[in-house]
Structures are given as C-alpha cells and as structure tokens.
Amino acid sequence: MEERFDTDARLTRLVYAYLATSAVWLLVGTLVGSYLSLKFIWPDLGVAPALSFGRLRPVHVNIVFWGFASPGMLGLALWVVPRTCRTALASYKLAWVALALINASVVAGALQLLLGVTNGSGEFREFTWPVMSLFAAALVLLAITLYRTIAQRATQEIYISNWYILAALLWTIVLATIAYVPWIQSGLADTVVQGYYMHQGVGMWFTPMSLGLAYYFIPKLLNKPIYSYSLGVLAFWTQLLFYTMIGGHHFVFSPVPWLLQTVAIIFSVGMLVPVVAGTGNFLLTIRGSTRPIGRSYSLPFIFVGVLLYFAGSMQGTFEALRSLNEMWHFTDFTVGHAHFTMYGFVAFVIWGGVYALVPRLSGREPSHGAIGLHFWLSIVGLAVYVGALSIGGTLRGLSWMSGAPFIESVTLMAPFWLGRAVGGTLMLASHFVFAWNLWQMRPAAAREVQLAGPRRAAEASVA
C-alpha cells in the first residue's frame, strides 16, 4: 500500500458495512451452493423439504446476487462516486437505510424460499413482490443519493465510472418494476418478460456496475489515465443498445415467436461491440504495466475480471447461435457459463476493488500470503468448476442430440459433477480466506493505528 486516503470516517464505516455485509452473504450463499453440489454426488443427502434442491437452488442464487454481489458493488460505488466528483456523499442516512432494506430483502426472501413461498418458476425472480420491493426501494434511495452527489460535483465533466454506476441503478429500478407488473405475469407474456428480466439483471445491473468500478480502479492503481474516454462512451451506449434485446436467446426453439428469437440472436452478436470496446480500453490502459500488476495484490484480481468479462461474453454470444444453443442450452454448460461470467468477472472485480480500497481507508492490510491464497483458491476452483461443467455439458448435449437414452447422459455426468463439487469446495474455501482478510482490514484497526501514534501510522501507511 503506497498511499492512505484521508477521508471522512463516516464514509469509511459506511463502505466497510456494505462490504462486510457482502462477505457474510457470500459465505452463506456459497455454503448453500456447495451443499447443492454434493447432492449431485449423493442424491439422498438431506431429504427434508427445506433441504431439497428445488428450494435451496434459488436460495443460493438470490443470496449471491442480491446479498453478496449487490452490496459489494454498491459499497465500492459509494466511495468511487464522491471521490471522482471531488465532493461529499449527498446523504449518509439514505445510504444506511438502503443497506438495511437490502439485508431485510435478502433475509425475508431466503426464509420465504426455504418455506416454499416463491413468486413462481422464473429464474432470479423467485422473491415475492413485497420482498423485491424492499430491494427496489433501496436502489431508489441509492440512486437519489448518488445522483445528488454527482449533481453537486466539483468537476466539470462526469467521469465515465459514474455514467455506468448511475445508469445501472436507474436501469435496474425500471427492470425490477417491469418484472413484477401483475398483468404480464402469465402465459407467453410471462416467458418473454422472464427472458428480458433474467438477462437484464446481469447486463443492466451487475455488468455496468462492475465496469464502472473497473474504470476507476484500473487507472487509479496504475497511476495513469484511461486509454480512451471515447471507447468507454462507445461501450456504454452500445451496451444499452444491444443488451436490452438479447434475453430471448434463452428461448430459442420455444413457442416464443421465431422473429423475436432471431432478433435476440442478432443483438447477442452485436454485443461484440461493447465487449471489444470495453475490454480493449482496459487492456490498452494496462499495456506496459506488467511490473505494477506483478507487485500489486489487487490488480491481478481486476485483470482476471477483465479477461473473463471478455471470455464469458464471447461464450454467451456463441451460445446464442441456434446450432450451439441446441447442444448447450439445457445442459450443465449453461451453469458453468453463468459462474464463468458472474464469478469470474463480477466477483473478481469486487475483490480487487476491496483489496485496493479498504487498506487505504483503514490503514491495515491483511497478510499478502492470505491474499494470494484467496486468489489462487478462487481461480483454480473456478477453472475446475467451469472446465468440468463445460466438458460434461457438451458431452451431455451431444448425447441428447444423438437420441441416446436419457439415463446415459446422467451416467456420463457423474465424474463431471464430482469436478463441480471439488471446484466449488475450493471456491468456498477462498471465500473464508477473503472474509478473514476483510476482518483484518476492519476500520477499528485504523483507530488503533491512530492511537498508537504517528510512527506506527506511518509504518502502516507504507506497509
């Protein structure tokens, strides 16, 4: 750590509260996920209704989406926006209320799912409308807070990070509203809305928020400007143009109109524009910075996140094509793809941001060995997990297309489900290491440094 941020202690406590909440839900959500992976090896494990795959799978997904990734991104955004606007956060009170609403939403939603109370079978949309209303209300409060912060900025221009962060909040408020409007919750309309919702949840919430954070942390950590502001703007507008229409590629060969499916496939190919523009912008900014990345413990996380953003997005575009969709879509390949993008991109950017920011706020760093352990456990675990499901899913799809008995596709998946459990266990272990590292960086330690006198504080600031 080469510098220490001189910031308002209230902002430090607020940011850390969001990140600590995120870490707790990460442990809970991935403990559930690891348990589910074991059920593929021992199907009779846990016979109570609350321990069934049908109830716990949405618990896992919704907790990691709304409990882990969302507060993780928002906690970092609450630092990035006022910092890049060179002004104070407009309202700490609204931000704290928003955090309480997010946690209330996740607790209530998870309990409802365990009891078998859901909104239906729509993936990522299992929380009932009263529960999701709490989450949407939190987004409204945060949008107001960050909009006011940007409006009172001391800079002439709005930095590109804030375009993505504010847009993600506004887009997702609209998305959550459309997803729960009651008169389109049945029949084919419900299917179309589901396709729109579940892909926009990724493309209009997690992706722009993570990109906005990357646009701040990469140039900040490398101490150089972003390569091209214009490429960032191009990626922003084309993300909005193309991503809004690609959800239908999840319903290829379904009763959804053929034209709508084709439009979704075309727009999925169009996603090459923002992905190439965004990734190219990051890599051109990073170009020639091999040594800083090698010496940093936060940049490798973000660098991996950028690479997997590109790779996962390319994978998604190819999977949208009818010939490949027929083979992959209903197999474990799609599960691997989801983890490749959400975990490999979003989670790694969050972790890189946490390791870049929190030591500079609190004045305390975790062990570099522990950060390295977190990095390698998570990247190796992800590789094993995605590799097993990608290979197994491909073989399974080919088995179905050949007309072989269904049971053969179940049998052939056995070793790949074992790989899934092994990879998931490594990822879970990395999360415990991350939680420990975050605890080592807690703000209370900053007060100890300050109380111990200027010499110790100076030592901590250059550690």
Side-chain angles (χ1 to χ4, degrees), residues 145 188 201 216 420:
T145 301
L188 201 56
Y216 171 76
R420 170 189 184 146

Side-chain angles (χ1 to χ4, degrees), residues 133-215:
S133 296
L134 297 175
F135 190 86
L139 296 188
V140 171
L141 296 181
L142 288 167
I144 293 172
T145 301
L146 296 181
Y147 175 81
R148 289 172 54 197
T149 304
I150 294 171
Q152 64 189 26
R153 68 190 183 280
T155 58
Q156 184 177 1
E157 296 184 345
I158 301 175
Y159 185 60
I160 189 69
S161 289
N162 299 334
W163 286 51
Y164 281 95
I165 290 169
L166 189 58
L169 284 163
L170 298 177
W171 289 338
T172 308
I173 292 168
V174 174
L175 177 65
T177 303
I178 293 175
Y180 284 84
V181 171
W183 53 84
I184 52 175
Q185 301 296 318
S186 61
L188 201 56
D190 185 48
T191 301
V192 174
V193 169
Q194 173 60 23
Y196 169 77
Y197 171 78
M198 70 179 179
H199 226 302
Q200 302 317 297
V202 176
M204 293 298 167
W205 176 234
F206 297 107
T207 299
M209 282 291 285
S210 300
L211 290 174
L213 297 173
Y215 271 109

Side-chain angles (χ1 to χ4, degrees), residues 320-403:
L321 303 177
R322 283 194 172 91
S323 57
L324 296 175
N325 190 287
E326 182 181 13
M327 176 174 62
W328 280 334
H329 187 249
F330 291 106
T331 71
D332 300 75
F333 185 94
T334 301
V335 180
H337 167 65
H339 285 76
F340 196 43
T341 52
M342 284 297 298
Y343 192 91
F345 169 42
V346 178
F348 270 74
V349 168
I350 291 173
W351 290 329
V354 169
Y355 287 129
L357 176 61
V358 180
R360 290 172 167 81
L361 295 179
S362 67
R364 287 292 298 272
E365 293 178 296
S367 156
H368 291 193
I371 298 174
L373 184 62
H374 173 204
F375 179 83
W376 287 111
L377 282 173
S378 55
I379 194 72
V380 172
L382 179 64
V384 173
Y385 187 101
V386 174
L389 292 187
S390 298
I391 297 171
T394 301
L395 295 175
R396 195 176 203 191
L398 292 173
S399 173
W400 290 347
M401 293 171 69
S402 71

Side-chain angles (χ1 to χ4, degrees), residues 48 85 106 162 239:
C85 291
V106 178
N162 299 334
Q239 171 92 8

